[in-house]
Every structure is written in C-alpha cells, then in structure tokens.
Amino acid sequence: MEESTERSANSSEHRGTQQREIDRLWDFADPVASEERFRAASADPERSPHKRAVMAAQLARAVGLQGRTEEALAVLDGVAAAAPGSESGPEAAELRARVALERGRLHAAAGRPEDALPELTRAVREAAAAGAAFLVLDGLHMLALTDGGHEEEWAAEGFDVLAGSRDPRVLRWGIALHNNLGWTKHDADDPVAALHHFTLAAEAAEQYGSAEQLRVARWSMARALRTLGRTEEALAIQRALDAERPDDPFVTAEIEALTGVRPTIEA
C-alpha cells in the first residue's frame, strides 16, 4: 500500500511539473510563437518519447488556433499512431486523454460538435484513468461549452472534481467552469443564478487565477447586476474597472449602457 501511494504521489508530481512547463511554453495571444516552441520541444532528443508526444499534442493545438485544422488533426494522428492504444499505465492513458482532448477541441472550434463530443468524453474517461484531474477538468469544461443543453450537468461533474483537489493549478478551473455556467444562466434569463456563478468565478480568480481572469469575472458580475436592475452596484464595478484600464471598450460600453452617456475622466 505504501509503495502504491508513493507511486501515485510521484506520478501526480510529474504531471504537475509537466503542466507547468506546458504553461510556460504557451502564449495563447501568439499561437505562431507557441507553435515554434512546441515544435522544438516535440523534437527535442533530450526528452523522453512520452514528453515529446505530450508536446506534440500541444503543437497540434497551437496549429489549430491558427485555423489549420486538418494539419493539426494530422499531427494528433501521428502522436496516436506512435503510441499504441492498448498500452496500459497512467502515462499512456494521459497521452490518450491529451490526444482526444485536442481532437475534440479542434472539432468544436470547426463547428463539428457531433465529432467533438465523443472525443471529449473519451478524453475525460482516459484522464480519469490516468488520475489527471487537470485534464479531467479541461475535458469537462470543453463538454460544457460544446454539449448544448447539458452545460449544467458537465459543470456539476467539474465541481465534484474540484471539491477533491488542493492543487491550485487544478482549482483554477473553477474560474472557467463558473464563468461559463454563469453565461449559460444569463442567456437563459436567470440573472440571479448567473450572478451567483460569476461571483464564485471572481472568488476563485482572487485565490488561484490571474489579474485578467479576475477582471473578466468582475465585469461579468456587473453585467448580471445590470440585468437585475441593480444599476448603482453595476456602475461602481465598471467604474473601478475603467479606472484600472481606461481603454477597455467592453467596460466603456457598459458604462454607456448604465448611464446613457459616454464616460469622462471625472465620471
């Protein structure tokens, strides 16, 4: 039992280190530069075959973000072909999860939910088998975005996973899950529930997220408050955001909607 526990802890630590490296290589605002970094990492002979394959899956994502969907899918096909599906163990399951996740993401972005959903459910299943909570949550987050009408069910599964984790990088997924569910509720004319989830997203962002994630969550809270007719509260948040970044067009538009006038420095 002690040996099994130690092996599980080591595997979890390895995945955490690997994810941190992936985070360092990513710049979602610059997929071209990200592609270059992941292409180099996926060909680095100093890395193990597993790590090169993981980097190749991220390469596919970077290529896909540039609209080269078929090329990205071909990269993933190459990764899958080099890693037999019958191979057992957490590393093999993790890699299968990553390939399925990126395939699902590509299909979803291309407007093919019927192709995306089987891949995303496979990703969640394989990630769970690997004990990779971060990937489980990524898959559930994508399912909530892709599987119309079942957003709340997938988000609820994600919240259950979050409840069992103490890893800050894993817990950061609470921001996206609550934010996305908040917009689902808002679009369904339930601004009370929307505000609840936006508030939870902001709380998660304060603890585990970036300044930008917190800003988005606060903006969303204010938007729900406007829908609820709580204009003064909404305006206070938007003016605070405007003071932080006066050139944000989304904040400017909300202040105009709340006041009926274009904001000035004095406002």
Side-chain angles (χ1 to χ4, degrees), residues 1-10:
M1 176 66 74
E2 290 180 1
E3 181 181 350
S4 174
T5 302
E6 182 179 352
R7 186 164 56 246
S8 175
N10 289 341

Side-chain angles (χ1 to χ4, degrees), residues 43-266:
D44 183 357
E46 297 298 316
R47 298 177 188 272
S48 69
H50 172 75
K51 289 182 179 178
R52 290 199 300 271
V54 167
M55 296 301 167
Q58 296 303 303
L59 167 62
R61 185 176 184 183
V63 170
L65 284 175
Q66 298 171 63
R68 292 147 53 196
T69 302
E70 297 309 315
E71 181 182 344
L73 288 169
V75 171
L76 293 171
D77 288 345
V79 174
S86 60
E87 190 176 342
S88 61
E91 275 197 351
E94 178 209 345
L95 184 57
R96 289 193 294 270
R98 289 186 180 278
V99 169
L101 178 60
E102 298 311 331
R103 278 179 176 153
R105 215 187 309 267
L106 286 163
H107 287 308
R112 300 192 293 255
E114 69 283 358
D115 294 324
L117 292 175
E119 295 291 349
L120 294 171
T121 53
R122 184 178 300 113
V124 170
R125 183 174 65 249
E126 294 285 5
F134 182 91
L135 293 178
V136 170
L137 285 161
D138 197 351
L140 290 171
H141 149 260
M142 284 302 304
L143 281 164
L145 288 174
T146 307
D147 193 7
H150 300 280
E151 298 92 343
E152 195 161 3
E153 298 164 40
W154 294 119
E157 288 197 34
F159 298 144
D160 286 343
V161 175
L162 288 171
S165 179
R166 295 183 179 179
D167 182 344
R169 188 63 183 86
V170 170
L171 292 169
R172 186 184 293 184
W173 277 113
I175 306 167
L177 286 170
H178 281 296
N179 184 69
N180 293 341
L181 186 54
W183 282 111
T184 296
K185 292 294 187 180
H186 191 272
D187 293 345
D189 297 322
D190 189 352
V192 173
L195 178 59
H196 169 71
H197 285 289
F198 291 146
T199 302
L200 291 175
E203 291 174 0
E206 284 183 317
Q207 295 183 70
Y208 311 113
S210 66
E212 187 62 26
Q213 286 174 314
L214 178 57
R215 181 179 179 84
V216 169
R218 290 169 64 201
W219 186 94
S220 300
M221 287 174 60
R223 181 63 185 84
L225 286 166
R226 175 160 76 87
T227 301
L228 287 165
R230 293 161 61 178
T231 304
E232 292 304 315
E233 293 170 80
L235 189 57
I237 293 173
Q238 296 293 2
R239 281 180 168 160
L241 294 174
D242 186 59
E244 294 171 4
R245 189 188 301 168
D247 60 346
D248 187 330
F250 296 100
V251 172
T252 299
E254 278 299 298
I255 292 176
E256 289 181 4
L258 288 160
T259 63
V261 297
R262 190 170 185 82
T264 64
I265 295 175
E266 291 75 21

